Amino acid sequence: MDKLLTYLNRLKKHQRRTFCESCKTTEGYLRKAISAKQPLRVPLCVAIERESKGAVTRIDLHPDDWIENWPELAFVCIYWQASTSGTFVIRQEQ
């Protein structure tokens, strides 16, 4: 949830409003859930991942139970690409 808070705080006010509207929620709800460490609903997590363009992922929002909510993600192989940019590369295993 820290990643979501950081993401929200980096947005300008009008960007936060647009982001929350696109996720079909409110900034107040997200901030309350973050401060109470309340798990977000599965569909909302999907929307947050989509609307943040992957900056905040479903796994970030449900680190302990993501595999139960999204078993299809178990087939995604995440590996560290040795590079100066230090980025994650995601690829679908066939």
Side-chain angles (χ1 to χ4, degrees):
M1 295 289 257
D2 292 337
K3 203 166 184 182
L4 177 58
L5 181 60
T6 300
Y7 180 80
L8 287 174
N9 288 339
R10 287 184 179 161
L11 296 176
K12 294 180 181 171
K13 187 173 183 171
H14 73 277
Q15 292 172 314
R16 286 193 306 270
R17 183 175 40 250
T18 301
F19 173 77
C20 291
E21 287 172 358
S22 296
C23 292
K24 298 187 181 356
T25 191
T26 65
E27 182 180 352
Y29 175 80
L30 291 179
R31 290 193 182 277
K32 182 178 178 186
I34 292 166
S35 68
K37 299 188 186 312
Q38 172 187 343
L40 299 175
R41 301 176 323 267
V42 168
L44 179 55
C45 294
V46 173
I48 289 170
E49 182 178 65
R50 181 187 64 240
E51 297 303 323
S52 72
K53 297 177 180 42
V56 182
T57 68
R58 293 173 274 177
I59 295 172
D60 295 327
L61 299 170
H62 278 267
D64 299 325
D65 63 353
W66 64 269
I67 198 146
E68 295 155 13
N69 294 312
W70 303 284
E72 69 277 9
L73 295 183
F75 298 105
V76 175
C77 176
I78 302 174
Y79 64 95
W80 182 257
Q81 177 183 354
S83 70
T84 56
S85 64
T87 58
F88 278 103
V89 177
I90 300 174
R91 68 179 169 167
Q92 184 74 34
E93 291 293 324
Q94 299 295 326

